[in-house]
Amino acid sequence: MTIPNKFSDMQNSEFHQFFVEELRDIYGAELSLVKALPKMQEASTSEELAAAFYKHASDTQLHIENLERIFDLLDEESDSKKCKAMEGLIQEAEEIISDTEKNSYTRDAALILAAQKVEHYEIATYGTLKTFARNMGHTEVAELLERTLVNEKTTDETLTEIAEDFVNSQAATE
C-alpha cells in the first residue's frame, strides 16, 4: 500500500505551481534590480541617496540568495522568469536619469520616486508570497520571505527619510 505524500500532492496543485511561478518572477525582478541599482547610485547627487542605493544593491543580493534557498527548500529549479513589471520600473528609472539634470536634487527626488515604486512592488509581492507560503505550510519559506519583506519596508522608510530630511526641500529651490 502506498502512503500519499502530502508535499508531493501539494507540489502538483495549481496553487503551488502559481506560487512557484511568482517566486520565479520576483527572482527575475531581483536579478534585474541588482544590475540597475549601481546605475541609480551613480546618478545620485547626494551621498546619502547614493549610500542607500549601494546598501540596497547589497541587500538585493541577499534577497537573491534567500530566493535560491527557497527554491531548494521547495525542491524546485531556481529558474528566473522575466519580470515585466520590474522591467518597466527600471526603464522608468533610466528615463528619469536621462530626463533630469545631472547633479540636481530634482534628479534625486525623481530617483527616490522611482525607487519607492520598486519597493512598493516588492513589498506587495513578498507580502503575498509569504501569506501563500504560510497557507501551504511552508513555514521556513514564509520566514525567509518575511525577512526579505521587512528589509524592503526598511529600505522604503530610508528613502522616505532621505526625501523628507532634505532632498525634496532642496529640489523645490532649484
Side-chain angles (χ1 to χ4, degrees), residues 27-150:
Y27 183 52
E30 296 285 21
L31 291 170
S32 296
L33 184 59
V34 80
K35 293 175 188 171
L37 284 165
K39 295 173 191 172
M40 295 172 76
Q41 176 189 345
E42 187 177 317
S44 300
T45 300
S46 76
E47 290 180 23
E48 292 87 345
L49 184 57
F53 285 139
Y54 178 82
K55 181 179 183 324
H56 192 51
S58 174
D59 291 344
T60 300
Q61 188 57 51
L62 293 175
H63 302 165
I64 290 167
E65 292 168 15
N66 279 347
L67 287 163
E68 290 168 349
R69 174 75 180 125
I70 287 167
F71 287 120
D72 286 344
L73 289 169
L74 296 173
D75 197 27
E76 296 282 349
E77 292 294 319
S78 60
D79 299 328
S80 67
K81 181 176 163 182
K82 185 176 186 175
C83 179
K84 294 177 185 176
M86 186 62 72
E87 185 178 270
L89 292 168
I90 289 170
Q91 182 179 353
E92 187 173 334
E94 290 169 350
E95 288 171 6
I96 283 171
I97 293 168
S98 66
D99 292 348
T100 55
E101 189 176 325
K102 185 177 182 175
N103 298 321
S104 71
Y105 284 97
T106 299
R107 176 182 275 183
D108 276 8
L111 284 170
I112 290 170
L113 171 67
Q116 286 192 299
K117 287 180 180 183
V118 167
E119 291 311 308
H120 292 198
Y121 172 75
E122 291 178 312
I123 289 166
T125 301
Y126 282 112
T128 300
L129 291 174
K130 176 192 74 168
T131 301
F132 287 177
R134 282 204 178 122
N135 285 322
M136 288 184 280
H138 298 308
T139 306
E140 192 173 351
V141 169
E143 289 170 4
L144 287 167
L145 292 168
E146 173 66 22
R147 265 190 245 152
T148 301
L149 177 61
V150 166

